[in-house]
């Protein structure tokens, strides 16, 4: 048995692969074999031939940022004439438009704006929840949370997260993880904070009862060992969440994607679709305690998005009614709800709309009819 076959067999038996074995997989070009194994692991979690998606909208409330990441084409420095903070009424309108198309999730993210006080966030969330009590605010990144702590007047990280959770933040996305190793982080974003800062925010969110998602961005020139270490740190944090009995399920999903170099201050070759698919498959094999994996069709395109559903993904992500950060870096793939249904069907799956907690809201059993979650549970 080859070393690759031995590692894949180990994962399929339910045994954990270690970081050395993870590096061995990254060094291999046996992508289809890894994808097939990841697909088997996915089916242990999700035996039904269903691929989910969420109807959500990105709302980039500000582009003013004092972190100055070299890989970001979206931000504007404080004082820039191109900087903005969206008026509250514009944000409310965007949320209403999302609800009008049966959307359930708002991914509100922006720069680390030093001009906004902590009360801006808590007041805005309260107003959103007052107007739209059923919308799920899956919003902000750990870097934004750390900026809130900085401008909060001395509150602890846990108190900041508790207050913003009580104000209406339901769930925390995993943006800003990039690579959870400080060598790479210092190279690409000196001011963004250490990998430990990112993880402290996530683990504190788990402690106060919020679910989160984990991410990884490849293509920064990181070592394969650093990719493996990133996955190990995510897996360990998820273990700790389960062992400590926190009132959350920790990382509900993991989403790897690729660095988009266009219009940024970093020059790099685009990661190939094959490298992305390999990373996705390895992540599914390694992260044996995270149930859901999302396709990154925004960066890779719809056709590769379809391919992910046989490489370990059970979820097609968000319909992304609006997306400005990644598109600023040259990734302009847009998929509407109808196209999402078509792509999932073309991949041989049954599409189903979910909420942020991965509860199925409705299943699209054919082109004309839908069945409810109750029907799925009865059948």
């Amino acid at each position: 048995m080859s070393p690759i076959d031995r590692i894949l067999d180990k994962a399929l038996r339910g045994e954990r692969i270690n970081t050395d074995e993870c590096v061995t997989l990254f060094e291999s070009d046996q992508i289809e074999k890894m994808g097939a194994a990841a697909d088997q692991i996915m089916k242990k979690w999700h035996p039904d031939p269903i691929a989910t998606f969420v109807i959500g909208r990105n709302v980039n409330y500000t582009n003013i940022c004092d972190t100055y990441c070299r890989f970001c084409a979206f931000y504007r420095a404080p004082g820039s004439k191109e900087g903005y903070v969206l008026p509250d009424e514009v944000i409310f309108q965007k949320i209403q438009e999302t609800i009008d198309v049966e959307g359930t999730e708002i991914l509100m993210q922006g720069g680390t704006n030093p001009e906004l006080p902590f009360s801006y966030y808590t007041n805005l969330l309260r107003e959103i929840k007052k107007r739209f009590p059923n919308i799920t605010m899956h919003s902000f990144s750990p870097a934004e949370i750390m900026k809130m702590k900085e401008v909060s007047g001395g509150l602890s990280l846990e108190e900041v997260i508790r207050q913003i959770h009580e104000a209406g933040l339901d769930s925390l996305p995993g943006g800003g993880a990039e690579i959870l190793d400080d060598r790479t982080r210092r190279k690409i974003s000196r001011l963004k904070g250490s990998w430990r800062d990112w993880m402290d925010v996530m683990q504190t969110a788990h402690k106060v009862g919020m679910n989160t998602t984990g991410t990884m961005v490849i293509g920064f020139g990181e070592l394969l060992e650093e990719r493996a270490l990133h996955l190990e740190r995510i897996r360990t944090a998820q273990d700790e969440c389960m062992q400590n009995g926190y009132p959350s399920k920790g990382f509900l999903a993991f989403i790897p994607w690729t660095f988009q170099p266009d219009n940024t201050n970093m020059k790099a070759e685009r990661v190939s679709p094959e490298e992305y698919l390999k990373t996705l498959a390895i992540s599914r094999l390694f992260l044996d305690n995270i149930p859901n994996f999302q396709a990154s069709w925004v960066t890779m395109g719809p056709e590769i998005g379809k391919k992910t559903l046989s490489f370990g993904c059970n979820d097609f992500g968000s319909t992304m009614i609006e997306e400005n950060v990644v598109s600023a870096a040259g990734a302009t793939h847009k998929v509407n709800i109808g196209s999402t249904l078509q792509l999932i069907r073309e991949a041989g799956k049954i599409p189903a709309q979910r909420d942020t907690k991965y509860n199925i809201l409705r299943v699209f059993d054919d082109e004309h009819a839908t069945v409810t979650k109750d029907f799925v549970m009865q059948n």
Side-chain angles (χ1 to χ4, degrees), residues 67 112 141-150 156-158 160-161 172-182 185-186 189-206 212-213 233-234 237 251:
T67 303
T112 55
S141 66
E144 289 164 273
I145 298 293
M146 292 301 285
K147 177 58 69 173
M148 293 178 203
K149 177 179 181 293
E150 181 183 317
S156 68
L157 177 60
E158 182 171 339
V160 165
I161 293 176
L172 195 63
E178 274 70 82
I179 292 292
L180 294 178
D181 179 81
D182 287 342
R185 295 180 77 80
R186 283 194 298 267
S189 183
R190 184 174 54 85
L191 300 178
K192 199 163 195 175
S194 68
W195 78 267
R196 190 64 256 177
D197 290 335
W198 185 92
M199 191 63 78
D200 283 346
V201 171
M202 288 303 190
Q203 291 187 287
T204 305
H206 297 165
T212 68
T213 56
R233 286 170 168 166
I234 293 282
F251 296 110

Side-chain angles (χ1 to χ4, degrees), residues 143-302:
E144 289 164 273
I145 298 293
M146 292 301 285
K147 177 58 69 173
M148 293 178 203
K149 177 179 181 293
E150 181 183 317
V151 301
S152 70
L155 294 178
S156 68
L157 177 60
E158 182 171 339
E159 186 56 33
V160 165
I161 293 176
R162 284 191 186 280
Q163 287 193 25
I164 200 163
H165 181 42
E166 290 168 0
L169 182 63
D170 299 297
S171 177
L172 195 63
E178 274 70 82
I179 292 292
L180 294 178
D181 179 81
D182 287 342
R183 186 194 73 88
T184 296
R185 295 180 77 80
R186 283 194 298 267
K187 181 175 69 172
I188 63 177
S189 183
R190 184 174 54 85
L191 300 178
K192 199 163 195 175
S194 68
W195 78 267
R196 190 64 256 177
D197 290 335
W198 185 92
M199 191 63 78
D200 283 346
V201 171
M202 288 303 190
Q203 291 187 287
T204 305
H206 297 165
K207 182 179 179 181
V208 305
M210 277 196 289
N211 299 319
T212 68
T213 56
T215 63
M216 177 168 71
V217 185
I218 62 170
F220 293 120
E222 70 281 351
L223 302 174
L224 298 182
E225 288 81 2
E226 291 169 348
R227 292 185 191 177
L229 183 59
H230 180 112
L231 295 175
E232 172 65 29
R233 286 170 168 166
I234 293 282
R235 189 170 72 179
T236 298
Q238 185 74 343
D239 282 345
E240 292 175 1
C241 179
M242 300 297 104
Q243 292 162 3
N244 290 329
Y246 289 154
S248 94
K249 294 182 179 178
F251 296 110
L252 283 187
F254 187 74
I255 311 105
W257 68 82
T258 61
F259 168 51
Q260 304 297 306
D262 295 1
N263 305 321
T264 73
N265 291 323
M266 280 190 69
K267 301 305 176 187
E269 291 187 15
R270 284 182 177 271
V271 174
S272 69
E274 292 77 16
E275 188 68 18
Y276 162 70
L277 289 171
K278 179 170 71 173
T279 300
L280 171 61
I282 293 169
S283 300
R284 172 61 94 172
L285 293 166
F286 191 91
L287 297 173
D288 59 359
N289 52 6
I290 296 180
N292 302 292
F293 277 65
Q294 274 188 32
S296 182
W297 57 262
V298 177
T299 54
M300 301 310 298

Side-chain angles (χ1 to χ4, degrees), residues 2 4 56 98 193 216 273 357:
S2 72
I4 297 300
T98 306
M216 177 168 71
K357 292 185 177 180

